[in-house]
Amino acid sequence: MEQMPLRKKVMKPDICSRLSREFIKGGASCFFKSIMSIGNLMAGFATGVLPAKIGLKATIITLSAGYELGYLWLGISGWMSILVLSFLLIGFAKGSVINMCTILVSNHSENRAKGMNIMHSCYALGALICPFVIAGAGLIGPVVPSS
């Protein structure tokens, strides 16, 4: 959940403009973080079972697709059910990618500590850059015309 505080400063105004004021005052950020955490928790179960069933590569590709789909839906939809599903998918993808990357680095690195530190440094760099990418994409304008 390290990325959410940085991202929400960029995404929250856009999401809040789509929701009712009563819901925002009631704690929309906490609600969406909770939904993302539920997806993160569910990913732990999926990443423990799916590699044995469909293989490690197929599992990584399948489960990480939640990032693309979740952020796409988050960007173009204003419906509450789609926003909830988007945060659930993003949390699911996040949990599965973190679990899978940890497995891959620990299995294929000669020096596990160095490999883990590099992996987590890349993760932190992505968390730093992501708000700027989202803000830049927001400057382009809406992809789907509003009705």
Side-chain angles (χ1 to χ4, degrees):
M1 301 306 299
E2 298 85 24
Q3 292 179 352
M4 189 61 188
L6 292 173
R7 259 190 229 141
K8 78 176 183 181
K9 291 178 184 172
V10 176
M11 294 170 31
K12 188 176 178 182
D14 184 48
I15 292 172
C16 290
S17 68
R18 299 181 207 171
L19 300 174
S20 69
R21 291 182 185 222
E22 292 78 25
F23 182 71
I24 295 167
K25 288 180 184 175
S29 295
C30 293
F31 174 73
F32 288 129
K33 279 196 242 179
S34 298
I35 295 297
M36 189 180 285
S37 295
I38 290 169
N40 202 338
L41 178 67
M42 290 175 12
F45 297 111
T47 55
V49 175
L50 281 179
K53 302 281 185 191
I54 64 173
L56 188 61
K57 187 183 287 187
T59 302
I60 293 169
I61 291 169
T62 304
L63 295 180
S64 64
Y67 274 127
E68 292 83 14
L69 194 58
Y71 280 118
L72 176 70
W73 287 351
L74 190 65
I76 65 174
S77 178
W79 294 346
M80 184 59 155
S81 58
I82 299 296
L83 289 175
V84 170
L85 185 61
S86 298
F87 275 95
L88 186 69
L89 278 173
I90 292 166
F92 194 84
K94 183 178 176 183
S96 61
V97 166
I98 290 172
N99 288 340
M100 291 306 199
C101 287
T102 302
I103 291 168
L104 289 172
V105 168
S106 67
N107 286 347
H108 299 293
S109 180
E110 291 178 16
N111 184 353
R112 288 184 181 179
K114 181 179 178 182
M116 291 292 195
N117 285 334
I118 291 172
M119 180 185 73
H120 290 301
S121 298
C122 291
Y123 185 73
L125 183 64
L128 178 68
I129 294 173
C130 187
F132 299 109
V133 172
I134 293 172
L139 293 174
I140 295 171
V143 178
V144 177
S146 59
S147 54

